[in-house]
């Protein structure tokens, strides 16, 4: 304690003298009582053989640090940063450029409470629609409506209705599930949700904005956010699910027909999100949505690599449906080695061309980008999405699973 006091006194004295020599006497006079007080406390504290643990001080400093970090993060958002989730540690910066090696972390990002599903779950966080050769950005057009998730669920239910699947058939490849998501070591405005979510229930104290397929809090949160989501889990390996994907351009049933069909199959739970859709002008909304998706998710820069376009045509030649074309591209990309330390493209170099013809290795952001670009080259709508992958291996207690930061995925 005496050594600490003496060292602190010398450092403080040096600082005070510096202010004196700079003729900042008022500042020096303010500092002097503080220094003397600290020295006095150090002398009167009881001396023990064990080091002082400073538990209260540490806890206080930790709380202040967390608060300061949250305030600073929200100030940065106020000055133009998006605050949306991105795989920054995996080489994906907020600028949308793909670069660098994966800097993994085993810190728990999210905790999930809910029964294990028959399929692993992907959680959507950030959605990008504009390819910029060296990465992705988000369109400022906001063309997809605030009912996007509801309309997506309606499209899916409509396909089931048009194919006339029985409840027994649906039970073979579709299950309804719910989960609570709790934020742990993560700092973001993004709201994460599973594919084919039909209900997202967030406490009123968290104010939300919705932009098409993205939900975002109005401010950045770190830890303690908790909300519930209900969703469908679809086993796309099943023959009936493949048949669903291969049937394109199915006609629309009426709102009442689709809702009655789903209510018969799943009782009332699964239509909760559909109830938020205004049935007025529903067909017009669906047709406008189809047009917007086709335009927004097939757009490519005019200077995209010619050999990338040729590769997409080569891979999909002779394939009858969009599903078959997508599977052909997926099979091709699966042949490339996975590495967390890929080569880095030169400034201005197109990432898809670089992956396919130069580095020939990469990680999820590289392959997801290549998949989306190759699909767009053959006029199949595709977008780039970042989020998390829940594989149920990290179980902490009954029906509670941890999602480490390493499970960030694109």
């Amino acid at each position: 304690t005496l050594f600490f006091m003496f060292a602190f006194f010398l450092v403080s004295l040096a600082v005070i003298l510096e202010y004196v020599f700079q003729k900042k006497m008022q500042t020096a006079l303010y500092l002097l009582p503080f220094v003397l007080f600290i020295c006095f406390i150090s002398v009167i504290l009881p001396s023990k053989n064990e080091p002082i643990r400073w538990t209260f001080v540490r806890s206080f400093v930790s709380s202040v640090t967390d608060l300061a970090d949250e305030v600073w993060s929200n100030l940065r958002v106020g000055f133009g940063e998006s605050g949306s989730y991105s795989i920054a540690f995996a080489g994906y910066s907020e600028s949308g450029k793909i670069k660098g090696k994966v800097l993994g972390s085993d810190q728990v990002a999210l905790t999930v409470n809910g029964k294990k599903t028959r399929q692993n779950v992907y959680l959507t966080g950030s959605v990008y629609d504009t390819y910029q050769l060296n990465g992705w950005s988000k369109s400022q057009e906001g063309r997809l409506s605030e009912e996007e998730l509801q309309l997506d669920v309606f499209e899916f239910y409509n396909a089931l209705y048009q194919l006339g699947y029985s409840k027994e058939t649906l039970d073979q490849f579709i299950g309804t599930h719910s989960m609570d998501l709790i934020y742990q070591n993560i700092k973001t405005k993004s709201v994460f949700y599973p594919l084919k979510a039909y209900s997202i229930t967030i406490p009123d104290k968290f104010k939300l904005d919705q932009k098409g397929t993205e939900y975002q809090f109005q401010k950045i949160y770190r830890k303690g956010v908790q909300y519930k989501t209900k969703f469908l889990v679809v086993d796309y390996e099943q023959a009936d699910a493949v048949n669903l994907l291969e049937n394109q351009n199915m006609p629309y049933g009426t709102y009442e027909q689709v809702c009655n069909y789903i209510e018969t199959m799943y009782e009332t739970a699964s239509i909760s999100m559909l109830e938020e859709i205004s049935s007025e002008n529903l067909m017009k909304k669906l047709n406008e949505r189809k047009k917007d998706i086709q335009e927004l998710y097939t757009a490519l820069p005019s200077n995209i690599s010619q050999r990338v376009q040729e590769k997409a045509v080569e891979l999909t030649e002779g394939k009858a449906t969009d599903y078959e074309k997508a599977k052909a591209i997926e099979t091709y990309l699966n042949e490339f080695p996975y590495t967390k330390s890929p080569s880095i493209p030169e400034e201005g170099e197109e990432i898809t061309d670089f992956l396919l013809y130069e580095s020939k290795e990469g990680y999820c952001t590289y392959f997801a980008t290549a998949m989306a670009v190759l699909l767009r080259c053959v006029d199949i709508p595709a977008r780039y999405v970042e989020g998390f992958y829940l594989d149920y291996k990290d179980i902490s207690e009954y029906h509670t699973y941890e999602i480490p930061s390493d499970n960030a995925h694109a």
Side-chain angles (χ1 to χ4, degrees):
T1 302
L2 289 175
F3 175 78
F4 165 78
M5 180 196 72
F6 184 65
F8 177 81
F9 180 77
L10 288 179
V11 172
S12 302
L13 183 61
V15 173
I16 291 172
L17 287 174
E18 182 180 1
Y19 280 116
V20 170
F21 285 125
Q22 293 176 356
K23 297 183 180 181
K24 297 180 179 179
M25 296 298 296
Q26 188 175 12
T27 304
L29 290 173
Y30 281 137
L31 283 173
L32 186 58
F34 173 74
V35 171
L36 294 176
F37 175 75
I38 293 296
C39 293
F40 174 73
I41 292 296
S42 300
V43 170
I44 66 171
L45 279 175
S47 179
K48 295 183 179 180
N49 292 329
E50 303 86 26
I52 300 174
R53 298 190 181 278
W54 304 102
T55 304
F56 170 76
V57 175
R58 288 178 178 175
S59 177
F60 176 75
V61 170
S62 177
S63 299
V64 170
T65 301
D66 287 346
L67 178 61
D69 186 58
E70 182 177 329
V71 171
W72 172 242
S73 297
N74 281 290
L75 281 173
R76 288 165 58 194
V77 169
F79 283 100
E81 290 193 16
S82 69
S84 60
Y85 172 76
S86 67
I87 309 178
F89 63 86
Y92 197 98
S93 66
E94 293 225 354
S95 65
K97 294 182 180 179
I98 300 172
K99 56 184 179 180
K101 64 180 182 179
V102 174
L103 303 176
S105 169
D106 59 0
Q107 271 198 323
V108 176
L110 302 168
T111 302
V112 170
N113 293 336
K115 292 182 179 180
K116 183 177 179 179
T117 62
R118 61 176 122 181
Q119 299 293 314
N120 295 325
V121 175
Y122 288 90
L123 299 174
T124 296
S126 296
V127 179
Y128 300 81
D129 54 46
T130 305
Y131 182 56
Q132 297 182 317
L133 300 182
N134 62 351
W136 294 85
S137 66
K138 299 177 183 180
S139 169
Q140 299 302 310
E141 297 178 39
R143 292 169 62 178
L144 298 179
S145 76
E146 292 185 357
E147 294 180 318
E148 170 57 24
L149 292 184
Q150 294 92 323
L151 292 173
D152 178 63
V153 171
F154 183 89
E155 288 261 15
F156 183 74
Y157 286 160
N158 177 72
L160 300 178
Y161 164 72
Q162 294 295 342
L163 291 171
Y165 283 152
S166 67
K167 188 176 190 314
E168 291 71 27
T169 299
L170 294 181
D171 288 342
Q172 294 299 312
F173 71 97
I174 300 177
T176 56
H177 291 272
S178 66
M179 64 167 60
D180 290 314
L181 280 84
I182 304 101
Y183 288 25
Q184 301 295 344
N185 297 295
I186 190 169
K187 183 173 60 178
T188 184
K189 289 174 67 178
S190 295
V191 175
F192 298 95
Y193 62 89
L195 294 175
K196 294 294 177 279
Y198 59 80
S199 173
I200 302 174
T201 307
I202 297 177
D204 291 338
K205 65 178 180 179
F206 299 116
K207 304 303 180 184
L208 293 180
D209 289 324
Q210 185 186 351
K211 298 178 181 178
T213 55
E214 277 194 348
Y215 282 97
Q216 288 191 347
F217 297 113
Q218 291 182 356
K219 59 177 285 188
I220 286 178
Y221 288 99
R222 288 170 56 92
K223 186 175 182 177
V225 173
Q226 180 170 349
Y227 56 89
K228 180 182 290 290
T229 177
K230 298 178 181 179
F231 58 103
L232 302 176
V233 177
V234 184
D235 182 358
Y236 288 108
E237 299 300 319
Q238 295 287 332
D240 290 310
V242 173
N243 182 48
L244 176 72
L245 296 172
E246 289 185 322
N247 275 274
Q248 299 170 234
N249 300 318
M250 282 185 277
Y252 292 120
T254 66
Y255 177 84
E256 290 75 17
Q257 287 173 326
V258 174
C259 285
N260 288 340
Y261 169 77
I262 292 302
E263 190 170 3
T264 302
M265 298 298 109
Y266 293 113
E267 299 178 350
T268 59
S270 299
I271 66 169
S272 58
M273 184 170 271
L274 295 187
E275 290 172 347
E276 299 177 22
I277 301 177
S278 170
S279 58
E280 184 179 354
N281 298 321
L282 178 60
M283 293 302 115
K284 180 181 177 182
K285 292 177 187 176
L286 290 168
N287 286 314
E288 287 178 350
R289 175 179 183 267
K290 182 183 294 186
K291 179 183 176 182
D292 287 341
I293 285 176
Q294 187 67 32
E295 292 180 1
L296 195 61
Y297 291 157
T298 58
L300 288 168
S302 58
N303 57 339
I304 188 174
S305 162
Q306 182 66 31
R307 57 184 180 177
V308 168
Q309 298 180 66
E310 291 172 353
K311 175 58 71 174
V313 173
E314 174 194 326
L315 291 170
T316 57
E317 188 175 5
K319 306 301 180 185
T321 66
D322 286 354
Y323 174 77
E324 291 177 352
K325 294 175 182 179
K327 292 299 289 184
I329 294 172
E330 179 189 41
T331 300
Y332 168 70
L333 292 175
N334 279 338
E335 296 174 359
F336 286 73
Y338 181 93
T339 177
K340 293 184 178 181
S341 301
S343 304
I344 302 174
E346 297 291 333
E347 187 69 29
E349 188 170 8
E350 184 187 341
I351 183 64
T352 304
D353 185 272
F354 176 77
L355 170 66
L356 300 187
Y357 296 102
E358 294 185 43
S359 71
K360 299 185 178 180
E361 62 179 11
Y363 49 84
C364 62
T365 58
Y366 286 72
F367 295 123
T369 292
M371 182 78 184
V373 170
L374 289 169
L375 286 170
R376 290 186 177 198
C377 285
V378 289
D379 209 34
I380 299 175
R383 61 188 186 178
Y384 176 86
V385 179
E386 290 184 342
F388 281 98
Y389 173 65
L390 171 60
D391 62 8
Y392 294 104
K393 290 191 300 186
D394 300 298
I395 182 169
S396 59
E397 55 185 86
Y398 183 66
H399 287 167
T400 300
Y401 304 89
E402 296 176 340
I403 303 180
S405 295
D406 270 345
N407 279 28
H409 202 55

